[in-house]
Every structure is written in structure tokens, then in C-alpha cells.
């Protein structure tokens, strides 16, 4: 597949479900992709990318940002507290805010630097023990806590269990967002981004369908 094909599938799903054209932001997930594939997508004019590791991003993106203006980077992987400062300097948005300690660290650094990325709270919609995110039952309280710190909370993010129908999880995330007055919904990956758009996704995170299979070494 290719960038243009994914973009036209997004446009088609927006049209089919009555969403406004262009209301879904495509985050091209470039983690573990060879540099030439990332450069090719940048050459095509795409500027919004997702990475899941702070270290990999620090090694790769500062040089690319110098060559390509207007890049927007989204952190979609877990964030360790000791990497908060570095992540806040590298990323325009963080999708994996999932605990009070991290929220307090972000607030402290934002106060100090006067800069804070846009934030998404990760919700563990499947309540999977190995997965990050706040439990659905704890989401409202955590969202209130993040807001009380004055942080720029844009929305919610989820990664559904691999063996369940993702639409149910997308619908649950949309419901939690709606009752908390949050507009952003980061949900949907290569295999299910159309279903996520049908449930109101504002940000889809698509990797392998754009770049091909990731290279693990
Ligand atoms: C890797 C990753 C993606 C992209 O996955 P694909 O199946 O390659 O589209 C999306 N979201 C998160 C959180 C990821 O870690």
C-alpha cells in the first residue's frame, strides 16, 4: 500500500460515515522503518508522524526536521518518567499519558519551560494487565486530575485487545471522551482505521500499511 492509497481510504470512510472531509488526522507511524522509507513519505509532502520510543526519535528526527519544515511528531509509546523532559522537547503531542506521577512531572516541566505538547490520556479499554493506560472506570477521575494541573488535554487514546472487535473499544473510548467534553480521539491502526473513523476517530495511527512491514533487528 502507499500513503496516497491510505489517504483516499480515509477520505472515502469520512464520506461514507458523514464525517467532515479532512476531519481525521493521519499519523504515519515511522517507528523501526528504514530512513529511506520515511524520507519518501516526507518527499510526498506528509508531515505528521508517530514514534513509540524517545531514544529512536532523538536519533532520527532532529536531522529530518532540519531538512523538512513543518514536521509534527506524536509520541504513541509508553513514556518513562525519567524521559519526560526529553519527550516534551521532541514531541508536539503525547498520546500515552496514563498516570498521576507522569501528569505531575509534565506540569512541573511545562511551568518551568513555558512549553507543553498536546496531551492524550491512554485508556486501557480492554483492561488488559500487560497494557498501559488507565482503566475505563478510573478515566473520569484521572481526566479531572490532568485538567486540575492546567495541562492542555486534547483527547483520549486506546489500543484495543488484538483478539476482540475493535469497534466496541472505539465506541467505549468515544463515550468516555464525550462525557468529559474531549474532542480528540486517537484510535485505529493499519488493520482497523476505517472502523475507528466510523466511531469518530480524529487521529488514526497507521504504520505498516503506509511503510510496509517494520524491520526488527
Ligand atoms: C506501532 C503502532 C501503531 C501502528 O501500527 P500498524 O499496525 O503498523 O499500523 C499504532 N499505534 C501504536 C500505539 C503503535 O505502537
Amino acid at each position: 500500500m502507499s500513503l496516497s492509497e491510505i489517504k483516499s481510504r480515509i477520505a472515502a470512510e469520512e464520506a461514507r460515515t458523514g464525517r467532515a472531509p479532512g476531519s481525521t488526522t493521519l499519523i504515519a507511524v515511522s517507528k523501526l522503518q528504514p530512513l529511506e522509507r520515511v524520507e519518501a513519505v516526507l518527499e510526498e509532502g506528509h508531515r505528521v508522524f508517530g514514534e513509540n520510543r524517545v531514544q529512536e526519535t532523538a536519533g532520527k528526527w532532529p536531522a529530518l526536521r532540519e531538512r523538512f519544515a513543518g514536521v509534527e511528531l506524536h509520541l504513541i509509546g509508553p513514556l518513562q518518567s525519567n524521559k519526560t523532559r526529553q519527550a516534551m522537547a521532541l514531541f508536539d503531542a503525547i498520546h500515552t499519558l496514563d498516570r498521576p506521577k507522569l501528569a505531575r512531572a509534565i506540569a512541573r516541566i511545562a511551568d518551568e519551560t513555558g512549553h507543553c505538547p498536546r496531551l492524550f490520556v491512554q485508556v486501557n479499554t480492554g483492561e488488559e494487565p500487560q497494557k498501559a493506560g488507565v482503566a475505563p472506570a478510573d478515566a473520569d477521575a484521572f481526566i479531572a486530575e490532568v485538567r486540575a494541573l492546567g495541562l492542555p488535554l486534547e483527547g483520549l487514546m486506546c489500543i484495543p485487545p488484538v483478539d476482540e472487535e475493535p469497534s466496541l473499544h472505539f465506541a467505549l473510548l468515544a463515550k468516555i471522551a464525550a462525557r468529559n467534553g474531549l474532542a480528540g480521539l486517537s484510535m485505529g491502526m493499519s488493520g482497523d482505521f476505517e472502523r475507528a473513523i466510523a466511531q469518530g476517530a480524529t487521529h488514526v495511527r497507521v504504520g505498516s500499511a503506509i511503510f510496509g512491514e517494520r524491520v526488527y533487528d
Side-chain angles (χ1 to χ4, degrees):
M1 254 176 275
S2 67
L3 178 69
S4 60
E5 195 174 331
I6 298 301
K7 281 175 148 168
S8 52
R9 282 173 57 186
I10 289 172
E13 189 63 15
E14 286 175 344
R16 193 188 71 80
T17 56
R19 299 273 311 274
S23 55
T24 315
T25 297
L26 171 60
I27 301 175
V29 178
S30 49
K31 68 183 185 205
L32 299 173
Q33 294 290 350
L35 193 60
E36 61 270 18
R37 291 188 196 161
V38 181
E39 287 168 334
V41 168
L42 281 159
E43 300 284 1
E44 280 185 79
H46 196 72
R47 288 295 180 269
V48 185
F49 291 83
E51 289 283 347
N52 72 336
R53 293 229 174 92
V54 174
Q55 231 39 59
E56 185 181 343
T57 306
K60 184 155 97 183
W61 280 99
L64 287 170
R65 276 197 197 266
E66 278 183 23
R67 290 168 51 203
F68 298 91
V71 166
E72 186 180 303
L73 288 181
H74 294 247
L75 176 63
I76 60 169
L79 177 55
Q80 295 167 262
S81 298
N82 64 351
K83 296 220 172 95
T84 308
R85 185 177 296 272
Q86 193 182 9
M88 288 173 70
L90 280 168
F91 289 96
D92 302 286
I94 294 174
H95 291 233
T96 49
L97 175 55
D98 63 352
R99 56 195 192 279
K101 186 184 172 203
L102 182 58
R104 288 194 298 270
I106 291 174
R108 200 171 341 103
I109 296 163
D111 274 347
E112 193 185 305
T113 61
H115 161 79
C116 190
R118 292 141 53 197
L119 299 172
F120 290 75
V121 164
Q122 183 174 355
V123 181
N124 187 358
T125 56
E127 302 185 61
E128 298 173 279
Q130 81 284 7
K131 211 166 258 178
V134 296
D138 300 332
D140 294 0
F142 183 58
I143 289 163
E145 204 171 336
V146 171
R147 283 181 161 150
L149 289 165
L151 292 173
L153 185 59
E154 179 163 326
L156 304 179
M157 176 272 214
C158 76
I159 309 170
V162 284
D163 54 354
E164 287 179 28
E165 170 51 48
S167 295
L168 303 173
H169 295 270
F170 298 153
L172 172 60
L173 195 73
K175 192 172 124 193
I176 299 170
R179 73 172 179 241
N180 284 283
L182 285 168
L185 284 171
S186 166
M187 55 191 198
M189 317 192 344
S190 289
D192 56 20
F193 65 88
E194 280 137 326
R195 279 173 284 179
I197 292 168
Q199 298 295 332
T202 59
H203 294 72
V204 292
R205 311 176 308 263
V206 181
S208 43
I210 295 173
F211 295 101
E213 288 307 313
R214 283 178 280 279
V215 182
Y216 294 92
D217 48 27

